[in-house]
């Protein structure tokens, strides 16, 4: 099968429409902001639109001028705070209305992995820098 790179604006708008229709979508995200759980350019993710989000979900959101696939780390009412697992600092803020879909599976080397809530990884934030450095040297 040929691989094609499609601009986020086109691909993710079409994906959002399919999820609004109740369908699942699969694509390969780029970037390393979700290491070690999602390897950009290597792993694929399958998403579906869910009625609501929960802390620990990996969600795709539309922010002004870009799309982000990050983990939900804080929720207060309709207000959401996201942070990539591979990020050492920096968060994004959005609302439930910005959520396009939730990752329901990570596809790696022909296997389907159910995403974990990342609770332990979030607790390891003070030492995440060192763990990510080791991980990057190993891969």
């Amino acid at each position: 099968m040929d691989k094609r790179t499609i601009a986020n604006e086109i691909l993710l708008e079409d994906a959002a429409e399919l999820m609004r229709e109740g369908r699942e979508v699969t694509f390969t995200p780029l970037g390393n902001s979700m290491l070690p759980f999602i390897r950009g350019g290597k792993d694929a993710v399958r998403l579906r639109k869910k009625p609501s989000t929960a802390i620990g979900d990996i969600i795709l959101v539309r922010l002004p001028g870009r799309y982000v696939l990050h983990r939900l780390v804080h929720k207060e009412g309709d207000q959401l705070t996201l942070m990539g697992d591979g990020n050492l600092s920096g968060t994004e803020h959005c609302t439930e209305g910005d959520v396009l879909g939730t990752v329901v599976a990570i596809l790696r080397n022909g296997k389907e992995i159910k995403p974990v809530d990342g609770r332990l990884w979030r607790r390891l934030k003070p030492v995440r820098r060192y763990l990510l450095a080791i991980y990057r040297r190993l891969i």
Side-chain angles (χ1 to χ4, degrees), residues 22-139:
R23 298 163 104 182
E24 290 186 347
V25 299
T26 302
F27 68 91
T28 302
L30 302 175
N32 293 317
S33 67
M34 284 302 293
L35 281 175
F37 299 103
I38 300 172
R39 301 172 305 165
K42 295 180 181 179
D43 298 335
V45 292
R46 184 169 47 239
L47 296 98
R48 143 181 353 128
K49 182 74 173 167
K50 291 188 171 182
S52 65
T53 57
I55 293 190
D57 284 349
I58 301 170
I59 57 178
L60 177 66
V61 299
R62 181 186 302 118
L63 298 175
R66 64 190 177 120
Y67 293 85
V68 175
L69 183 73
H70 281 171
R71 191 176 300 277
L72 177 58
V73 295
H74 183 76
K75 181 176 183 178
E76 193 168 319
D78 190 40
Q79 301 299 309
L80 310 178
T81 302
L82 312 175
M83 183 177 192
D85 290 341
N87 293 348
L88 301 174
S89 62
T91 57
E92 294 87 16
H93 302 278
C94 63
T95 66
E96 283 278 354
D98 299 319
V99 176
L100 303 176
T102 302
V103 173
V104 294
I106 300 166
L107 309 170
R108 177 178 292 164
N109 300 327
K111 296 180 183 173
E112 185 173 299
I113 302 165
K114 184 177 183 209
V116 296
D117 68 6
R119 185 176 308 144
L120 175 61
W121 187 249
R122 291 192 314 270
R123 288 185 181 156
L124 292 172
K125 187 177 174 194
V127 294
R128 192 182 285 184
R129 170 184 311 278
Y130 307 108
L131 297 173
L132 286 168
I134 292 167
Y135 177 81
R136 286 184 174 117
R137 284 187 179 91
L138 293 175
I139 59 169

